[in-house]
Amino acid sequence: MSPVHVLDPYYLAITALVTIAWQLAGFFIAWTFQFDKITDFTGGSNFFALALLTLLLGNAYHARSVVASVFVMVWAVRTGGFLLFRVLKIGSDSRFDAIRAHFFKFLGFWIVQILWVWTVSIPVVVLNSPAVSDLAGGGSNPAFGTAPDIIGIVIWAVGLIIESVSDTQKLHHKLNNPPKNKPFTGGLWKWSRHPPYFGEILCWWGIWTLTISPSTNGTLSGGAKAAQYGAVVSPLFTILVLLFFSGIPTAEKPLARRVFLSGDADAWATYRTYLDETSILIPLPPALYRPLPKVVKRTVLLDFPFYQFDEAGAQGVRDPATRPEESRS
C-alpha cells in the first residue's frame, strides 16, 4: 500500500504543525480557565497522536513500525494517564504557581512542551515515514527480530517497568499521609532518588534502538540513514531536559530547602544521610553507593554540584510554608 506524502518525506513538518496546534490549544484552555488539569495529559496525548498519525499516513504496517508505534502509545497512555490522575487527586500542580497568571511565562512552558514532544517523537516519526517505510520508494524493512529490535524491546520494557512501579510507589506513599520532611525510601526509591526519570530515559533509548534496524541491517539511502541515526536526539534531549531543566533540578533543591527551613534538625540530618547513601538517578544499592568517592558521585553518577542546596546561604531563614515544586520525584 502506498504511503500518504505530506510536506516532506520524513513527516517532520506535519508532526511539527500538529504538535504546535495541539499544545497551543491546550495552552489557551489552561490559560483561560487558570487550571493545571490538562497540562501533562496534553503532552502525553500528543505523543500518542503523533505515533498513530504517522503509522496511518505511512500505510506500511511493518511489524517494527507497529511495535514501535504501539510502544510509544503505551508509554503515552501510561504516563499521561498517571500524571492526570495525580493532579486530579492533589488538586493542582505547584510548578505553575509562579507563572500561571503571567501570559508569556505560562506560554513559555507550553513552547518548551512543543519542542519536547516533537523532538522526542522523532525516532518513530522517521521510522513510519515514506523515506524509511516505503519499499517502493527506496525504504527498507529488514525482517523483524534483529539485534537492535530485541535490545530495544528489552530496554523499553525495563524502563517502563521502572517508571510505572516507582510512580505508583511514590503516589501510594503521598496519599497515605506520610510524615512531613522525611524522604520516601521504599521500593525503588531506596536505590534511586529519581527512579521515574531513569525509567523514562531507558524507554526512549529503547524506542530509538528499536527503530534503527532499517539503517543497521537494511539498505536505506544515505539521507534516510542519516535521519534515523540523527533521531538519537530523542533520548539525548530526554536526558538534557530531565538532568538540567524540568526534571531533577525542580525537585532536588526545593525539597532540600523545605526540609532545611522547617527547622527540624533531626529531619535535616536524616535527609543528609539519605543524600549520602542514595544515588540521584541510576539505581544502586545504598551499600554500594555510600562508600563511593564524592568525585565519582558528582561525575560518573551524575549528582552534579549545582543540585546541591546551599545551607550557608539559607542560614537564619525559616519559612515553613516553603514547598518543593511538584515533580514526579
Side-chain angles (χ1 to χ4, degrees):
M1 295 182 284
S2 299
V4 178
H5 293 267
V6 186
L7 299 178
D8 69 82
Y10 300 103
Y11 288 158
L12 297 178
I14 185 60
T15 52
L17 292 174
V18 168
T19 301
I20 291 169
W22 198 283
Q23 296 303 317
L24 289 183
F27 162 71
F28 283 115
I29 293 172
W31 165 259
T32 300
F33 296 101
Q34 287 291 290
F35 69 175
D36 312 319
K37 304 297 189 296
I38 67 167
T39 305
D40 289 312
F41 176 77
T42 305
S45 59
N46 201 159
F47 277 104
F48 186 101
L50 295 187
L52 180 60
L53 173 65
T54 55
L55 180 65
L56 296 176
L57 290 176
N59 204 28
Y61 306 110
H62 304 309
R64 183 174 298 103
S65 296
V66 172
V67 171
S69 299
V70 168
F71 278 10
V72 171
M73 289 187 276
V74 167
W75 178 88
V77 170
R78 206 284 323 167
T79 303
F82 169 79
L83 295 176
L84 175 62
F85 174 79
R86 190 186 68 177
V87 76
L88 290 175
K89 293 289 289 186
I90 295 174
S92 65
D93 191 333
S94 59
R95 288 178 301 172
F96 306 111
D97 288 349
I99 65 173
R100 192 183 296 110
H102 301 277
F103 182 89
F104 288 107
K105 289 182 179 178
F106 196 38
L107 176 61
F109 167 84
W110 290 84
I111 292 174
V112 172
Q113 186 150 280
I114 288 171
L115 182 62
W116 169 59
V117 172
W118 182 78
T119 302
V120 176
S121 295
I122 287 177
V124 75
V125 167
V126 171
L127 176 67
N128 289 336
S129 71
V132 175
S133 65
D134 183 13
L135 303 184
S140 181
N141 179 45
F144 187 67
T146 64
D149 291 337
I150 303 304
I151 294 171
I153 290 171
V154 171
I155 294 174
W156 180 86
V158 171
L160 188 71
I161 290 170
I162 292 174
E163 188 178 11
S164 303
V165 170
S166 56
D167 270 341
T168 303
Q169 289 171 338
K170 186 64 171 286
L171 181 63
H172 182 267
H173 173 73
K174 285 184 175 181
L175 296 180
N176 283 275
N177 299 314
K180 291 184 178 180
N181 304 321
K182 183 178 180 181
F184 175 53
T185 58
L188 292 170
W189 298 82
K190 185 177 182 65
W191 287 22
S192 170
R193 303 199 312 258
H194 302 282
Y197 296 153
F198 180 73
E200 183 172 343
I201 290 169
L202 287 185
C203 281
W204 290 107
W205 275 113
I207 292 295
W208 177 72
T209 304
L210 171 60
T211 62
I212 61 171
S213 285
S215 292
T216 58
N217 298 75
T219 57
L220 282 183
S221 65
K225 185 177 292 187
Q228 283 216 298
Y229 286 136
V232 73
V233 68
S234 167
L236 293 177
F237 188 78
T238 301
I239 292 173
L240 181 69
V241 169
L242 294 180
L243 263 61
F244 300 103
F245 294 100
S246 69
I248 293 175
T250 66
E252 281 291 304
K253 280 187 180 179
L255 177 56
R257 178 181 172 81
R258 185 188 72 177
V259 177
F260 181 79
L261 296 183
S262 70
D264 186 334
D266 289 338
W268 180 243
T270 299
Y271 184 72
R272 289 294 303 270
T273 300
Y274 170 68
L275 296 182
D276 290 339
E277 65 183 19
T278 310
S279 172
I280 194 167
L281 182 67
I282 302 169
L284 290 172
L288 175 62
Y289 182 79
R290 188 186 304 111
L292 291 174
K294 183 173 289 187
V295 66
V296 174
K297 295 178 179 179
R298 295 286 189 266
T299 55
V300 177
L301 295 176
L302 310 175
D303 196 354
F304 301 125
F306 63 83
Y307 294 146
Q308 312 307 309
F309 175 67
D310 181 13
E311 295 179 51
Q315 288 290 348
V317 179
R318 289 293 183 268
D319 181 8
T322 302
R323 59 175 177 162
E325 296 185 39
E326 189 63 41
S327 73
R328 293 176 63 198
S329 294

